[in-house]
């Protein structure tokens, strides 16, 4: 069945210039990239993304990690992949959560590490189920940032909202 999945190249992946290697590995899946963008991760976004980890002892360290505080790079790269069996195909190439247990040929097995404080810095995030993929893609992307229609959308008129746009006057 065709489905979508979210991949995030985490701050350690960007800091260590692993983007090219990771994208090359993911291209083995033959899936389509239907959305891609760099994101400066706010605390709210980080906490919402990892809301299922709220009770974990390492939650605060995890939030700092995905916000880039541990790598002095306040950005991640978000990608939405689409195609047959996308979630399983991407998870197989990214590997297990614990980089020491991950297949050494997987992305996490090859590039991940466990910090001295015990956090898994595993370079990439990949959605684990269809419901999580939908929740995560809707959290990280706006409908117009995805080039196919993945989920139902609606049009909302927001007259009083402000929108930042390019200012070409007096550049
Ligand atoms: P996954 O990212 O494989 O879907 P989880 O959602 O369970 O796994 O965990 C979110 C992130 O929290 C992991 O990618 C990893 O960075 C970190 N993490 C998970 N479990 C542990 C753990 N036991 N010890 C340290 N860090 C962990």
């Amino acid at each position: 069945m065709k489905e979508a999945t979210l991949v995030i190249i985490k701050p350690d992946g960007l800091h260590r210039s692993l983007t090219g290697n990771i994208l090359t590995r993911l291209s083995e899946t033959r899936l389509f990239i239907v959305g891609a963008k760099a994101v400066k991760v706010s605390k709210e976004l980080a906490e919402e993304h990892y809301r299922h980890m709220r009770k974990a002892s390492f939650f605060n360290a995890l939030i700092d990690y995905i916000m880039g505080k541990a790598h002095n790079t306040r950005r991640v790269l978000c990608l939405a992949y689409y195609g047959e069996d996308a979630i399983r195909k991407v998870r197989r190439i990214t590997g297990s959560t614990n980089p020491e247990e991950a297949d050494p040929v997987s992305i996490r097995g090859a590039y991940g590490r466990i910090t001295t404080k015990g956090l898994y810095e595993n370079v990439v995030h990949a959605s684990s189920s269809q419901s999580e993929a939908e929740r995560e893609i809707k959290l990280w992307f706006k409908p117009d940032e995805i080039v196919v229609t993945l989920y139902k959308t609606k049009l909302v008129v927001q007259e009083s909202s402000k929108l930042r746009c390019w200012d070409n006057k007096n550049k």
Side-chain angles (χ1 to χ4, degrees):
M1 193 190 37
K2 288 196 174 163
E3 60 188 10
T5 188
L6 180 80
V7 172
I8 301 174
I9 302 184
K10 296 183 180 183
D12 48 335
L14 296 177
H15 182 66
R16 293 163 59 200
S17 289
L18 293 171
T19 308
N21 306 44
I22 293 166
L23 293 180
T24 301
R25 290 301 317 278
L26 289 170
S27 69
E28 290 167 23
T29 61
R30 304 288 186 103
L31 297 167
F32 293 105
I33 295 176
V34 293
K37 64 173 178 177
V39 177
K40 186 173 172 184
V41 184
S42 68
K43 195 156 197 271
E44 294 68 40
L45 177 58
E47 287 181 349
E48 187 56 31
H49 177 75
Y50 280 130
R51 66 180 187 186
H52 62 290
M53 305 300 284
R54 250 186 329 249
K55 299 260 161 65
S57 57
F58 51 85
F59 183 66
N60 289 339
L62 179 61
I63 297 305
D64 283 353
Y65 166 40
I66 196 72
M67 288 179 72
K69 289 188 181 174
H71 297 89
N72 218 6
T73 170
R74 301 295 293 269
R75 71 216 152 87
V76 298
L77 191 63
C78 288
L79 302 142
Y81 280 85
Y82 178 75
E84 201 63 46
D85 208 9
I87 293 166
R88 192 187 56 82
K89 282 180 183 164
V90 169
R91 288 285 290 198
R92 200 176 54 207
I93 285 179
T94 53
S96 304
T97 308
N98 180 340
E100 280 187 4
E101 286 171 5
D103 182 334
V105 171
S106 69
I107 294 168
R108 287 169 163 181
Y111 303 119
R113 69 172 197 135
I114 303 180
T115 66
T116 46
K117 288 184 179 153
L119 186 70
Y120 302 165
E121 285 186 359
N122 51 15
V123 184
V124 280
H125 167 80
S127 306
S128 56
S129 66
Q130 274 191 13
S131 61
E132 275 300 280
E134 178 171 349
R135 182 183 82 83
E136 293 170 357
I137 288 170
K138 287 179 173 176
L139 180 65
W140 289 84
F141 285 98
K142 297 189 183 84
D144 287 342
E145 293 172 332
I146 303 278
V147 298
V148 293
T149 304
L150 293 177
Y151 313 113
K152 226 168 87 184
T153 59
K154 62 179 178 182
L155 280 176
V156 180
V157 181
Q158 283 185 320
E159 278 167 13
S160 59
S161 72
K162 288 185 186 167
L163 177 70
R164 187 175 302 282
C165 50
W166 302 117
D167 182 357
N168 290 322
K169 260 193 256 156
N170 307 321
K171 272 190 275 186

